[in-house]
């Protein structure tokens, strides 16, 4: 249950960062935090009380392991998260070069 | 003699020959332009010949089952109706390709021009040959795209018109798609033959909705009253060697769609269930009324044009209005008149657009006021266009007389006090604007700079002469086309017209029309008139500006302002001008700008600030959750 | 200030309610889903991979993983495009690394590469796999970048390795298509679960992914290092 609370807290903190912070890098950090929260949530949904990692080896029978599916999904999600963060950061670098600011409300070219 | 061609008389052969031919032609053009043109002519004429042969056998249906994942079968069939239209389309397309080979260069990208022409011909044949709604729609879309691309080949000038055409066509295609989907979900079959047996039993409301949805799409192609705004710019700006197909063949797919779905699939008894007005279905009456209104409006516009292609474009719209009128009336005479007029229109409007192309090529201008006196310089063009204009105006000796006569009889037969007068008015107008072409381009004084004008190459004149010959043939022997139409009518379950080779019999009320007698009388009258003309000839040639200038020395620009085709129908225009100020176009424009305004308002939500978006999402979620708690 | 308060209230409402619903529908520590049941009980027999996560990632959802690799590739390309400069980027580190970092990196760099390789070679036996191993390898290169201000990777070689490994992945998939009828079919024998050479094509794919991910992440880092702020 702890894990649920932790992931809820992570997601809430991440969204709060997105809502309140104006600094582009902090917003990307917020995205990353949400990402971590969601990953944690997925893993903990897949957990089954008293079971172990899903690797079948002598001493571990199939009836004894947790759900591997969320873990596989999280593996995907981590990679996607990395991609998103890298791309977003490079765009921010560009934005900074062009506008000399990281404040999102000062980047006005796409607004009216 | 031609037995070896028998295995090729299948719709899939004809269509794939054209599609393959389109590719071959395009790539042959990379090698040599002569090869490309030869390919295009061979493929199109050969397929047109195949189409011609196939119908002379028997009415046959070919099935082509294919293992598609959804369980659909693609059905291609040749029946009386589709053969009639296929003949018209392939004749016009093939001869127009021959005609365009006569010009050295039609567009900037001639490879694409010939390739797309073949593709378009294949798609049009596909539409009429398709025996199920899916292939109908697919070919319909290929046709729209190909014709759009062909229109844009004319260059920058055509872009706006082509875009208009594309947008309105797309809306029409969606409408058709909705109609087809509704039919499919109700009956679970896409095949026309299957639908024909079940659609008759559907409730009238369902029929009305589906037919209206389909009808909007077909009406766009047929340039019917509220949807014709795309036609004048698209017809007039399209490449000169493509407009004959555009107006002559492609526009006939609209009437084809109406005929197919109204009579071929739904059938007269089911149409009558929707309510009748003086014996014809309300739906058909509305179509007929829209058709006659279109005929009048477009005629009034055509009268006011100085641009020859624009004039012919409006004239096309108006003639298609006639066709729709006949098809809408839906009696034996009406459908026969509509289909016959469609055939005649395909022939004479193709000839006229071909002639217009020649005139534009010769004079370098589209303005009628830049032409004049070309009749003696270009006798073949003059003769063919004269015959085509006779047909357009419905003068005996040509096929046009027969079809217009049938249409009037159909309207009078049912005592339609709105439709019949409108048709008569439009007919008078048709004579006015077609006379303008004759008068301005071929009669009168030859401008100095056109002294060297002469008839174009045989490649151009032969198709025109062929069509003119057909028109005269139909004038003498209306039984030839009307015999085919009678078989179409019996295929559609409409009482067939009683025709023999030279005469048409309409029943006790109207009697018969013997074309041969009429022809003889008219010829005799013409001979007498000619003789009188030569006996009593008192005319003398005068300078073009003699009457106007009162002895003053002409200024250099005097040609332009005192040309007799300037303000040719000024008094008429003055009467109608207040009603013709592009009302419909303005309505569409108002719709467009209103739409833009609303969209602009909606766009205001998107502030461009990320935080606001996050707020939107979260507030929406919160509202949903709270509302969920409240209600559940 | 009021903005923060509002956002906290909204967040509290949304997150609390969402998680209340979640703990109702999927209580913590509950049994696996239906589809996972099959993976758990049949996975080893069907794929030959002792690590069930690998079995899911590479076998059952192999196509998904190909897409994922593509996403990463597109992201790396995107970073390259966003940070594109006409001349070749020159690194501008202001501070030299200390002696400890330099010596440590020299000692640790081969070890880290080896560790990364170990992780992705044993992806079907132990926790970890191509993505993790690739990340470890990229970390080794980060270390290198930190310790040496003039260090730069061999771009051409990295690109070639990345392309080659990507082609191996796709090529194996197409081989399956040709030989067995569907994409990414396991065309090699499964072997004995638990041995290094087992589980058919899974180790090969994971090695390819490991090299590809390592090269791509390193490429991203290289791009970002070369930026003049």
């Amino acid at each position: 249950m702890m894990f649920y609370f932790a992931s809820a807290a992570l997601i809430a903190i991440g969204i709060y960062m997105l809502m309140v912070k104006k600094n582009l890098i902090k917003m990307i950090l917020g995205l990353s935090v949400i990402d971590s929260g969601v990953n944690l949530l997925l893993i903990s949904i897949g957990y089954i009380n008293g079971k172990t990692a899903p690797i079948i080896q002598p001493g571990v029978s199939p009836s004894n392991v947790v759900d591997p599916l969320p873990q596989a999904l999280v593996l995907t999600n981590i990679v996607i998260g990395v991609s998103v963060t890298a791309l977003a950061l490079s765009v921010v670098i560009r934005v900074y070069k062009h506008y000399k600011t990281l404040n999102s409300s000062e980047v006005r070219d796409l607004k009216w | 003699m031609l037995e070896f061609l028998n295995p090729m008389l299948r719709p899939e052969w004809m269509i794939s020959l054209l599609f393959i031919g389109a590719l071959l032609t395009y790539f042959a053009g990379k090698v040599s332009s002569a090869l490309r043109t030869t390919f295009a002519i061979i493929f199109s004429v050969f397929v047109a010949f195949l189409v011609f042969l196939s119908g002379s056998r028997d009415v046959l249906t070919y099935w082509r089952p294919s293992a598609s994942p959804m369980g659909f079968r693609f059905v291609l069939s040749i029946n009386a109706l589709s053969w009639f239209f296929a003949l018209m389309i392939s004749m016009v397309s093939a001869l127009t390709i021959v005609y365009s080979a006569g010009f050295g260069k039609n567009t900037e990208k001639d490879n694409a021009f010939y390739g797309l022409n073949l593709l378009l011909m294949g798609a049009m044949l596909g539409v009429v040959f398709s025996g199920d709604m899916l292939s109908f729609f697919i070919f319909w879309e290929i046709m729209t795209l190909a014709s759009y691309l062909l229109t844009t080949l004319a260059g920058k000038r055509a872009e706006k018109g082509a875009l208009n055409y594309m947008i309105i066509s797309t809306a029409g295609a969606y409408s058709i798609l909705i109609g087809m989907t509704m039919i499919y979900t109700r009956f679970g079959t896409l095949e026309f033959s299957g639908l024909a047996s079940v659609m008759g039993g559907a409730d009238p409301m369902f029929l009305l909705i589906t037919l209206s949805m389909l009808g909007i799409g077909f009406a766009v192609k047929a340039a019917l009253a509220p949807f014709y705004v795309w036609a004048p710019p698209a017809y007039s700006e399209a490449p000169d060697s493509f407009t004959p197909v555009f107006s002559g063949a492609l526009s006939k797919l609209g009437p084809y769609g109406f005929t197919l779905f109204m009579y071929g699939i739904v059938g007269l008894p089911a149409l009558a269930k929707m309510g009748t007005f003086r014996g014809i279905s309300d739906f058909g009456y509305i179509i007929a009324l829209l058709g006659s209104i279109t005929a009048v409006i477009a005629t009034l516009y055509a009268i006011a044009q100085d641009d020859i292609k624009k004039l012919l474009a409006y004239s096309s719209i108006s003639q298609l209005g006639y066709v729709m009128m006949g098809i809408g009336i839906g009696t034996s005479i009406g459908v026969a008149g509509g289909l016959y007029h469609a055939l005649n229109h395909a022939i004479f409007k193709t000839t006229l657009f071909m002639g217009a192309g020649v005139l534009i090529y010769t004079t370098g201008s589209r303005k009628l006021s830049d032409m004049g006196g070309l009749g003696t310089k270009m006798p073949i063009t003059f003769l063919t266009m004269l015959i085509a204009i006779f047909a357009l105006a419905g003068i005996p000796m040509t096929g046009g007389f027969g079809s217009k006569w049938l249409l009037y009889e159909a309207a009078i037969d049912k005592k339609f006090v709105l439709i019949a007068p409108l048709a008569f008015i439009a007919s008078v107008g048709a004579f006015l604007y077609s006379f303008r072409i004759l008068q301005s381009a071929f009669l009168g004084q030859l401008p100095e700079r056109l002294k060297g004008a002469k008839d174009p190459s045989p490649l151009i004149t032969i198709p025109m002469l062929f069509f003119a010959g057909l028109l005269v043939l139909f004038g003498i022997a209306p039984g030839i086309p009307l015999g085919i139409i009678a078989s179409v009518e019996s295929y559609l379950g409409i009482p067939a017209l009683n025709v023999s080779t030279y005469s048409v019999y309409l029943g006790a009320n109207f009697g018969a029309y013997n074309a041969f007698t009429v022809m003889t009388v008219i010829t005799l009258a013409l001979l007498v008139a000619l003789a009188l003309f030569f006996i009593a000839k008192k005319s003398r040639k005068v300078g073009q500006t003699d009457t106007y200038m009162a002895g003053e020395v002409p200024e250099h620009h005097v040609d332009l302002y005192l040309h007799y085709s300037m303000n040719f129908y000024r008094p008429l225009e003055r009467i109608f001008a207040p009603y013709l100020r592009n009302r419909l176009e303005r309505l569409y424009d108002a719709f467009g700008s209103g739409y833009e305004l609303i969209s602009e308002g909606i766009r205001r939500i998107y502030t461009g600030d990320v935080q606001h978006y996050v707020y939107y999402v979260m507030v929406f979620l919160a509202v949903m959750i709270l509302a969920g708690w409240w209600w559940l | 200030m009021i903005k923060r308060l509002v956002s906290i209230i909204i967040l509290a409402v949304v997150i609390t309610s969402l998680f209340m619903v979640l703990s109702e529908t999927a209580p913590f520590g509950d049994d696996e889903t239906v589809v996972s049941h099959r993976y758990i009980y049949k996975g080893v027999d069907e794929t030959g991979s002792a690590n069930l996560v690998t079995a899911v990632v590479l076998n059952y959802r192999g196509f998904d993983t190909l897409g994922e690799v593509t996403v990463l590739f597109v992201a790396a390309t995107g970073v390259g495009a966003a940070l594109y400069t006409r001349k070749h980027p020159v690194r501008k580190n202001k501070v030299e690394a200390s002696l400890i970092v330099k010596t440590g990196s020299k000692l640790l760099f081969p070890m880290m590469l080896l560790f990364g390789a170990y992780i992705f070679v044993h992806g079907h036996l132990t926790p970890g796999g191509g993505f993790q191993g690739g990340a470890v390898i990229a970390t080794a290169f980060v270390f290198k970048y930190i310790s040496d201000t003039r260090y730069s990777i061999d771009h051409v070689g990295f690109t070639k390795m990345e392309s080659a490994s990507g082609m191996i992945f796709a090529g194996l998939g197409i081989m399956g298509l040709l030989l067995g009828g569907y994409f990414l079919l396991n065309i090699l024998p499964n072997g004995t679960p638990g041995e290094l050479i087992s589980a058919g094509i899974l180790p090969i794919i994971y090695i390819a992914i490991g090299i590809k991910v390592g090269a791509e992440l390193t490429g991203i880092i290289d791009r970002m290092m070369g930026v003049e702020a």
Side-chain angles (χ1 to χ4, degrees):
Chain A
M1 219 44 210
M2 266 272 286
F3 296 104
Y4 275 12
F5 288 134
S7 57
L10 278 175
I11 292 172
I13 290 168
I15 296 176
Y16 178 77
M17 283 168 91
L18 277 184
M19 287 168 103
V20 172
K21 296 295 174 189
K22 289 274 182 190
N23 187 319
L24 285 171
I25 292 196
K26 286 182 183 168
M27 287 162 76
I28 293 171
L29 281 179
L31 275 178
S32 277
V33 172
I34 298 176
D35 216 33
S36 316
V38 172
N39 288 343
L40 180 60
L41 176 66
L42 281 174
I43 291 284
S44 34
I45 287 175
Y47 182 72
I48 303 169
N49 278 329
K51 295 192 177 178
T52 179
I55 295 174
I56 311 293
Q57 57 197 42
V60 181
S61 73
S63 57
N64 220 356
V65 297
V66 299
D67 196 342
L69 187 57
Q71 303 198 7
L73 292 180
V74 164
L75 195 55
T76 310
N77 194 22
I78 291 170
V79 175
I80 306 293
V82 167
S83 309
V84 168
T85 312
L87 202 57
L89 279 175
S90 59
V91 171
V92 168
I93 290 172
R94 268 275 172 226
V95 167
Y96 183 73
K97 268 188 183 174
H98 195 266
Y99 295 97
K100 300 290 173 211
T101 176
L102 282 176
N103 190 332
S104 71
S105 49
E106 284 174 27
V107 183
R108 299 217 58 91
D109 277 11
L110 279 178
K111 300 167 191 168
W112 39 268
Chain B
M1 190 178 84
L2 293 163
E3 297 295 312
F4 69 96
L5 283 176
N6 280 355
M8 293 181 85
L9 299 181
R10 298 174 65 85
E12 65 267 28
W13 262 96
M14 299 170 192
I15 296 164
S16 20
L17 262 180
L18 285 173
F19 282 1
I20 295 164
L23 271 180
L24 273 180
T25 306
Y26 180 76
F27 287 111
K30 305 267 179 198
V31 185
S32 112
S33 58
L35 186 68
R36 168 200 69 202
T37 316
T38 321
F39 264 15
I41 291 176
I42 288 174
F43 272 105
S44 55
V45 174
F46 181 61
V47 172
F49 190 59
L50 284 184
V51 171
F52 176 70
L53 279 185
S54 70
S56 64
R57 292 143 59 87
D58 202 359
V59 178
L60 274 175
T61 306
Y62 295 106
W63 297 81
R64 188 126 195 246
S66 79
S68 72
M70 307 280 282
F72 298 149
R73 279 193 303 187
F74 289 100
V75 183
L76 294 173
S77 74
I78 302 183
N79 49 47
L81 177 66
S82 64
W83 184 67
F84 175 69
F85 276 91
L87 192 63
M88 189 152 84
I89 287 164
S90 56
M91 193 168 68
V92 168
S93 300
L95 286 178
T96 307
I97 289 174
V98 174
Y99 160 86
S100 48
F103 296 106
K105 192 165 171 224
N106 293 292
T107 58
E108 288 303 310
K109 297 172 186 144
D110 259 4
N111 294 348
F113 175 80
Y114 285 106
L116 284 171
N117 250 320
L118 286 177
L119 182 71
L120 177 67
M121 184 177 167
M124 289 193 294
L125 286 184
V127 170
V128 293
F129 282 151
S130 49
D132 64 313
M133 295 195 290
L134 192 62
S135 39
F136 184 95
F137 187 75
I138 291 169
F139 283 123
W140 186 271
E141 282 298 272
I142 297 176
M143 177 183 84
T144 305
L145 276 175
S147 51
Y148 164 71
L149 290 174
L150 272 167
T151 311
T152 55
L153 282 182
K156 218 151 186 67
R157 206 184 49 189
E159 265 170 21
K160 192 162 174 280
L163 195 64
N164 269 343
Y165 166 58
M166 192 64 200
I167 291 172
I168 299 182
S169 285
T170 312
Y174 282 140
S175 171
I176 292 179
L177 194 60
I178 293 170
M180 288 181 168
T181 320
M182 283 174 72
I183 293 174
Y184 179 63
T185 41
R186 172 72 68 96
F187 297 112
T189 177
L190 287 167
E191 287 162 27
F192 291 154
S193 53
L195 285 174
S197 54
V198 287
M199 279 290 272
D203 56 293
M205 199 59 208
F206 176 75
L207 281 181
L208 181 67
I209 295 169
T210 48
L211 274 182
S212 312
M213 291 317 273
L214 293 165
I216 288 172
F218 299 143
V220 166
K221 274 284 179 295
L224 205 58
F227 306 111
Y228 70 76
V229 285
W230 62 270
Y235 281 164
S236 58
E237 300 299 341
D240 295 338
S241 345
F242 168 60
T243 325
V245 179
F246 205 171
S247 160
L250 200 144
S251 59
K252 300 302 174 301
L253 273 306
Y256 171 73
F258 273 111
T259 319
L260 175 70
F261 277 92
M262 276 172 70
Y263 304 120
I265 291 178
V266 176
L268 273 179
L271 276 179
K273 276 199 303 186
M274 281 190 252
T276 53
F277 176 76
R278 298 222 183 116
I280 76 161
S281 66
D282 282 348
F283 186 78
Y285 182 75
I286 290 166
I287 300 285
L289 190 61
L290 282 178
S292 51
I293 290 171
T294 315
V296 172
I297 294 176
T299 302
L300 293 180
Y301 276 114
I303 289 172
Q305 301 302 320
D306 186 39
D307 178 331
I308 182 167
K309 280 189 82 178
K310 222 167 210 154
L311 191 154
L312 290 174
Y314 277 113
S315 147
S316 293
I317 299 169
S318 123
Q319 300 301 315
L320 280 164
Y322 271 118
V323 174
M324 291 316 301
M325 184 185 106
I327 289 173
I329 289 175
T331 55
S332 171
I333 310 172
V335 174
L339 293 180
Y340 189 23
H341 200 64
L343 178 65
N344 277 327
H345 177 249
I347 295 171
F348 67 66
K349 195 46 62 63
T350 308
T351 318
L352 283 176
F353 268 120
M354 282 176 169
V358 172
L359 288 177
I360 294 166
Y361 180 75
T362 315
T363 63
S365 164
R366 297 172 20 166
K367 284 197 182 335
L368 283 168
S369 47
D370 287 346
M371 304 170 185
L374 291 166
T376 49
K377 292 278 173 189
M378 309 167 79
I380 301 178
T381 318
F382 179 43
L383 179 72
T384 49
M385 282 187 84
L386 182 69
I387 292 172
I389 281 171
F390 275 10
L392 170 72
I395 293 171
M397 285 166 71
T398 56
F401 172 71
S403 57
K404 279 203 173 175
W405 180 68
L406 283 173
L407 286 170
Y408 298 150
E409 297 289 27
I412 295 166
D413 181 27
K414 292 289 173 189
K415 302 184 178 59
F416 287 145
V417 287
L418 264 178
I419 292 176
L422 284 173
F424 287 133
I425 293 169
S427 182
V428 174
F431 183 75
L432 289 180
Y433 64 68
S434 51
F435 179 69
R436 183 175 191 168
I437 302 176
L438 279 184
Q439 164 75 3
S440 311
F442 293 109
L443 306 179
Q445 296 291 320
L446 188 70
E448 196 62 37
R449 61 187 185 85
L450 296 177
K451 281 278 190 275
K454 59 179 190 324
D455 265 325
S457 76
L459 272 181
I460 295 176
T461 48
I462 285 172
M464 292 171 65
L465 283 171
F466 175 80
F467 282 138
L470 268 187
L471 284 173
V472 175
L473 177 70
F474 290 174
I476 302 169
I480 299 172
L482 282 173
I484 303 173
I485 289 165
S487 69
V488 172
E489 283 190 323
S490 52
Y491 168 76
L492 292 174
I494 299 167
L497 209 60
N498 185 0
V499 288
S500 66
T501 312
Y502 294 114
S503 62
V504 187
Y505 182 67
L506 294 189
N509 284 345
F510 297 104
Y513 150 55
N514 190 323
F516 200 75
T517 321
V518 173
M519 187 75 186
T520 321
V521 170
I522 293 280
T523 317
L524 281 177
L526 274 180
L527 283 177
V528 169
L530 205 64
L532 284 177
F533 175 72
F534 276 116
I535 292 165
K537 185 175 171 188
K538 269 185 192 167
S539 65
R540 70 180 179 88
K541 294 210 176 236
V542 291
Q544 188 172 354
T545 45
D546 273 7
T547 46
Y548 295 88
M549 296 313 291
E552 277 183 38
V553 180
E555 305 280 331
H556 64 279
H557 59 264
V558 97
D559 265 9
L560 186 63
Y561 292 108
L562 295 184
H563 191 284
Y564 44 78
S565 84
M566 287 303 290
N567 301 326
F568 202 68
Y569 290 121
R570 189 55 184 276
L572 257 181
E573 281 166 34
R574 204 176 288 149
I575 298 169
F576 291 114
Y579 307 103
L580 292 179
R581 298 230 170 120
N582 293 345
R583 302 248 155 162
L584 206 54
E585 280 84 347
R586 275 204 214 150
L587 193 70
Y588 279 93
D589 281 350
F591 176 74
S593 48
Y595 194 78
E596 234 168 60
L597 206 71
I598 293 169
S599 310
E600 184 66 21
I602 292 172
R603 201 179 67 90
R604 299 262 147 185
I605 298 171
Y606 296 92
T607 53
D609 203 335
V610 187
Q611 262 111 24
H612 292 166
Y613 298 165
V614 181
Y615 265 102
Y616 294 157
V617 172
M618 297 316 290
V619 168
F620 178 74
L621 267 179
V623 168
M624 289 307 278
I625 286 165
L626 292 177
W629 269 348
W630 189 261
W631 293 111
L632 300 177
Chain C
M1 198 59 226
I2 192 91
K3 195 176 157 187
R4 295 185 178 203
L5 209 64
V6 170
S7 41
I8 286 172
I9 291 167
I10 294 173
L11 268 176
V13 171
V14 172
I15 298 287
T16 343
S17 44
L18 280 184
F19 273 83
M20 278 166 72
V21 174
L22 182 77
S23 47
E24 284 285 318
T25 50
F28 184 71
D30 204 19
D31 268 349
E32 71 265 4
T33 56
V34 182
V35 65
S36 308
H37 190 80
R38 155 111 186 194
Y39 293 159
I40 291 170
Y41 286 91
K42 295 271 179 64
V44 176
D45 293 338
E46 284 180 349
T47 67
S49 159
N51 185 345
L52 287 176
V53 179
T54 301
V56 173
V57 167
L58 288 189
N59 197 309
Y60 294 112
R61 296 176 167 263
F63 199 63
D64 204 9
T65 307
L66 183 60
E68 178 189 349
V69 172
T70 313
V71 168
L72 187 59
F73 172 71
V74 170
T77 317
V79 171
L83 300 180
Y84 176 77
T85 44
R86 213 165 284 276
K87 56 183 189 298
H88 192 74
V90 183
R91 293 182 53 201
K92 279 187 181 168
N93 279 25
K94 303 284 189 297
V95 189
E96 281 280 318
S98 71
L99 190 63
I100 298 172
V101 175
K102 280 183 176 174
T103 323
S105 82
K106 266 181 194 155
L107 269 173
L108 281 175
F109 180 67
M111 308 270 188
M112 289 171 87
L113 284 188
L114 188 66
F115 182 58
Y118 173 85
I119 287 182
F120 63 65
V121 168
H122 288 75
H124 56 302
L125 303 175
T126 57
F131 294 102
Q132 295 89 326
V136 170
I137 287 176
T139 321
F141 281 100
V142 175
F143 219 24
K144 206 72 172 150
Y145 271 103
I146 291 171
S147 63
D148 186 349
T149 49
R150 278 176 303 281
Y151 180 79
S152 176
I153 54 166
D154 170 17
H155 289 95
V156 179
F158 266 67
T159 315
K160 279 182 183 164
M161 267 191 352
E162 186 194 327
S163 320
S165 45
M167 273 157 70
I168 289 174
F169 192 176
L172 275 171
I174 291 166
M175 287 277 279
L177 194 66
L178 292 177
L179 294 176
Y182 59 90
F183 197 74
L184 275 175
L185 175 70
N186 199 344
I187 47 174
L188 296 177
N190 279 349
T192 321
E195 286 183 2
L196 183 57
I197 299 186
S198 66
I201 60 169
L202 301 196
I204 306 174
I205 294 179
Y206 245 171
I207 290 167
I209 289 178
I211 293 168
K212 190 171 165 62
V213 170
E216 266 161 7
L217 291 182
T218 314
I220 290 176
I221 290 156
D222 175 65
R223 273 288 170 192
M224 293 201 166
M225 286 283 185
V227 168
E228 316 163 29

